[in-house]
Amino acid sequence: MPILDLSIDELLTTTRAVRKRLDFTRPVEPEVIRECLSLAVQAPTPGSMQNWHFLVVTDSAQRAALAAIYRKSTQAPGGQEDMLKHMIAAAASEEEVADLTRMFAPTRYLTEHLHEVPIHVIPCIEGRAENLSGASQAGHWGGIWPATWSFMLAARSRGLGTVLTTLHLDFEREAADVLSIPYDQVMQVGLIPVAYTLGTTFKPAVRKPLENVLHWDRW
Ligand SMILES: Cc1cc2nc3c(=O)[nH]c(=O)nc-3n(C[C@H](O)[C@H](O)[C@H](O)COP(=O)(O)O)c2cc1C
């Protein structure tokens, strides 16, 4: 697969949450997904166990079912739409309302179009984490994040856009039924829509200044 001409630093700073610039019309070859995942599995894994899996969803009926679950989660009490409504109600000015609406626009766009995204990748981990201590959870399902991020970086390097999402997990069991995942033994940790991007140039994100989040020797 052709690789974009990006330096490693460019790759790390321009792998963005892509939602509005996903190309729903261009098919994604299964080989490119395999290639990205074969790179991803090189990521560190707790205790060398590699007890994680990636479920790739291409079937349109299954994608539609997952999108409906995702949408239900955004509309559930306490979900994304509720949150936005409360934030707008508490906003001090018209500008703040406009900012909030703008901020939520990409997420809303994804909610409306998720079924059109040609590939959904679901990272999964063997074993459920609900009853584990915080420390055990970090080593358990936290173990799949490095591989997940490697997958997203590899995808970006090949012109694919991704966004890590977790909203459908409010109804994880329903998604497990759609995908025949044995819910009691295997936990989904997210859903990554994958598609070629419309254009390949992305800017680094605006983030807090490093000094606000960097602690050296002491908090
Ligand atoms: C753990 C995690 C969960 C996320 N869940 C969602 C989600 O459910 N839906 C969504 O649209 N974006 C989700 N995002 C993406 C963030 O909203 C996104 O990273 C943020 O908008 C900043 O975008 P940027 O990384 O391109 O700067 C999630 C990101 C992370 C790290």
Side-chain angles (χ1 to χ4, degrees):
M1 294 296 153
I3 307 281
L4 298 183
D5 184 20
L6 295 171
S7 69
I8 292 171
D9 286 5
E10 282 168 338
L11 180 70
L12 289 169
T13 52
T14 65
T15 303
R16 301 265 57 84
V18 186
R19 288 170 287 221
K20 285 194 161 177
R21 288 178 55 194
L22 296 171
D23 186 345
F24 306 135
T25 61
R26 183 169 164 195
V28 177
E29 310 82 352
E31 304 80 57
V32 69
I33 298 295
R34 283 185 168 277
E35 204 170 86
C36 295
L37 288 173
S38 69
L39 294 166
V41 297
Q42 294 294 323
T45 173
S48 302
M49 283 202 303
Q50 205 186 334
N51 55 349
W52 34 256
H53 302 253
F54 289 96
L55 201 162
V56 180
V57 187
T58 58
D59 180 85
S60 60
Q62 274 162 302
R63 283 185 287 118
L66 290 174
I69 292 169
Y70 186 95
R71 209 168 297 124
K72 185 162 80 167
S73 163
T74 66
Q75 287 159 2
Q80 182 188 278
E81 286 302 315
D82 246 9
M83 198 164 79
L84 177 60
K85 216 186 301 166
H86 286 120
M87 288 165 88
I88 284 179
S93 64
E94 282 302 308
E95 290 82 60
E96 207 179 314
V97 171
D99 282 350
L100 285 167
T101 311
R102 207 172 21 250
M103 194 172 88
F104 275 81
T107 334
R108 284 176 140 180
Y109 179 84
L110 181 70
T111 304
E112 283 160 24
H113 294 276
L114 185 56
H115 59 287
E116 295 172 61
V117 185
I119 306 260
H120 297 175
V121 173
I122 315 261
C124 299
I125 188 108
E126 289 170 23
R128 301 213 57 88
E130 282 89 352
N131 297 320
L132 298 181
S133 67
S136 298
Q137 288 197 34
H140 177 66
W141 68 285
I144 195 172
W145 290 129
T148 301
W149 182 235
S150 288
F151 167 73
M152 293 165 74
L153 292 171
R156 160 76 176 131
S157 76
R158 284 151 176 82
L160 293 164
T162 59
V163 48
L164 181 58
T165 80
T166 47
L167 285 177
H168 87 285
L169 297 175
D170 284 335
F171 299 97
E172 185 196 344
R173 194 185 280 276
E174 286 181 33
D177 288 344
V178 168
L179 301 167
S180 307
I181 295 172
Y183 176 88
D184 292 332
Q185 284 99 47
V186 175
M187 191 168 125
Q188 301 161 58
V189 302
L191 185 161
I192 307 172
V194 186
Y196 281 103
T197 54
L198 298 164
T200 56
T201 306
F202 288 84
K203 291 197 200 109
V206 177
R207 295 286 195 245
K208 290 178 184 173
L210 180 61
E211 292 314 316
N212 290 23
V213 295
L214 172 66
H215 309 270
W216 214 284
D217 289 334
R218 281 175 184 73
W219 182 260

